[in-house]
Amino acid sequence: MKVYINGKFYDKKEAKISVFDHGLLYGDGVFEGIRSYSRLVFKLKEHIDRLYESAHSIMLEIPMNKEQMSKAVIATLKENKLTNGYIRLVVTRGEGDLGLDPRKCKGHGAVIIIVDKIALYPEKFYKEGLKILTVPTVRNLPEAVNPQIKSLNYLNNILAKIEAVNAGYDEAIMLDSLGYVAECTGDNIFIVKNNHLYTPPQCMGTLRGITRDAVLEISRRDKIQTHEHVITRHEVYISDECFLTGTAAEIVPVVNVDHRVIGTGKPGKVTLNLMRKFKELTKKEGTRY
Ligand code: PXG
């Protein structure tokens, strides 16, 4: 496996950056997770745009333009001869001193592209659906670290993940600071009620997921009414269907939330239809390499 760091490829063992990089010392940097299917990178432009928006918001200058970044992603996939891949794009603040002042970071940070085979979730999750749990750690306040920023500081989500795992669950629902449903640790959440689709708005504590947007788009094309609206736990409990979306997980059904059975307790019709349509979309849409 070859890793891209600042324009060069390194063997996995040799792919290293400084222990003084503020990406490590403070989680000061941004990232993206992208997928390719049969030599098509899914929503590459959207991921690159979001990366640059995250960087702009934290005043991190990326030492290359969007076109060069897209080319670097493609080059890394080709270098590794990957047909179906998971791409992790990381940009750090760079090497500084032990203080947190980013002005001390000299030069440009590291641009890192790691590609790997897709680590698929167990088939069981998709066939039978997930059981998930609401956890105590709330999603970051937008006026503190805005969840729209895909920063290297993911402790907020990791704490929620730890709480879910400690309770014997694979995934957690995180609430926003007002107690509304925000999202899961690395996925957006949707519910279906009377054939209408609901997902929390991006303004609260929710990342505007690229898979989320693709699902909204497919649903609108299918003439399903979609609503970006605040959701309470109660509304999740009484929903007909529930599912999660994310680049890694794609679309995964949820059949039990906080010990309440959702709908029939099996993946629902709308969810299964969206899973099929999403798969079709990934087969035909994307940047070819
Ligand atoms: N919410 C959060 C907090 C995320 O980190 C999503 C939603 C889904 O967004 P996309 O654009 O992927 O549909 C994410 C996704 C992983 C992984 O490897 C994924 C994410 C972050 C960390 C790890 O599963 N981001």
Side-chain angles (χ1 to χ4, degrees):
M1 202 57 79
K2 299 276 188 191
V3 178
Y4 173 105
I5 305 176
N6 292 336
K8 286 194 192 136
F9 291 110
Y10 298 85
D11 284 331
K12 196 173 170 180
K13 270 195 180 152
E14 306 304 322
K16 293 174 181 162
I17 61 161
S18 167
V19 293
F20 291 96
D21 194 304
H22 279 203
L24 172 69
L25 291 176
Y26 296 111
D28 187 357
V30 294
F31 80 102
E32 275 297 320
I34 315 172
R35 260 205 203 228
S36 78
Y37 300 86
S38 313
R39 295 190 174 275
L40 285 170
V41 187
F42 188 63
K43 304 275 183 196
L44 179 59
K45 181 184 183 299
E46 286 79 356
H47 282 285
I48 299 287
D49 283 348
R50 191 169 67 183
L51 180 80
Y52 279 76
E53 284 174 6
S54 293
H56 180 71
S57 187
I58 69 164
M59 300 186 77
L60 171 65
E61 198 187 321
I62 300 180
M64 58 211 281
N65 65 30
K66 289 184 185 179
E67 198 187 328
Q68 291 165 327
M69 186 65 86
S70 303
K71 282 189 175 152
V73 167
I74 302 280
T76 311
L77 283 163
K78 282 186 170 166
E79 181 75 21
N80 287 286
K81 300 186 171 58
L82 266 185
T83 311
N84 298 290
Y86 183 77
I87 304 142
R88 174 59 54 90
L89 203 44
V90 177
V91 186
T92 71
R93 185 77 69 179
E95 236 180 280
D97 64 14
L98 293 177
L100 57 80
D101 189 344
R103 290 174 302 182
K104 300 279 175 58
C105 296
K106 298 278 178 291
H108 288 295
V111 176
I112 302 164
I113 307 172
I114 309 167
V115 296
D116 207 344
K117 294 209 178 76
I118 294 163
L120 285 170
Y121 284 96
E123 193 56 29
K124 192 170 171 253
F125 286 11
Y126 298 90
K127 284 216 170 96
E128 296 171 19
L130 278 182
K131 291 182 178 180
I132 63 175
L133 188 74
T134 307
V135 295
T137 295
V138 299
R139 195 71 177 95
N140 280 334
L141 280 167
E143 53 272 55
V145 182
N146 196 313
Q148 300 305 328
I149 302 167
K150 271 190 82 89
S151 86
L152 294 182
N153 198 315
Y154 248 51
L155 255 188
N156 182 220
N157 311 56
I158 290 164
L159 288 175
K161 189 77 166 184
I162 289 170
E163 288 160 354
V165 170
N166 282 347
Y169 290 79
D170 294 305
E171 192 47 271
I173 289 185
M174 300 181 78
L175 305 177
D176 64 29
S177 57
L178 295 176
Y180 294 108
V181 171
E183 58 181 344
C184 293
T185 62
D187 297 297
N188 290 112
I189 186 164
F190 283 81
I191 57 169
V192 179
K193 184 75 175 172
N194 299 329
N195 280 317
H196 284 228
L197 195 61
Y198 299 83
T199 194
Q202 55 162 328
C203 59
M204 298 301 287
T206 305
L207 177 75
R208 183 166 168 198
I210 288 163
T211 320
R212 168 191 183 274
D213 280 1
V215 162
L216 287 171
E217 204 181 297
I218 295 169
S219 304
R220 284 174 194 142
R221 240 185 274 148
D222 263 10
K223 305 274 184 280
I224 294 174
Q225 297 257 20
T226 63
H227 310 269
E228 294 176 59
H229 199 279
V230 285
I231 296 174
T232 61
R233 281 185 300 148
H234 173 71
E235 285 163 322
V236 176
Y237 301 155
I238 61 161
S239 66
D240 301 327
E241 299 181 30
C242 177
F243 61 86
L244 313 181
T245 65
T247 296
E250 300 178 324
I251 301 174
V252 51
V254 172
V255 293
N256 190 300
V257 178
D258 299 339
H259 304 275
R260 279 82 162 177
V261 173
I262 304 300
T264 61
K266 293 205 172 94
K269 245 185 11 218
V270 176
T271 308
L272 292 170
N273 181 48
L274 279 168
M275 287 166 74
R276 204 185 61 243
K277 294 249 164 83
F278 181 77
K279 192 155 262 164
E280 282 168 16
L281 191 68
T282 59
K283 277 186 194 151
K284 63 175 199 242
E285 237 185 49
T287 308
R288 192 168 292 283
Y289 60 95

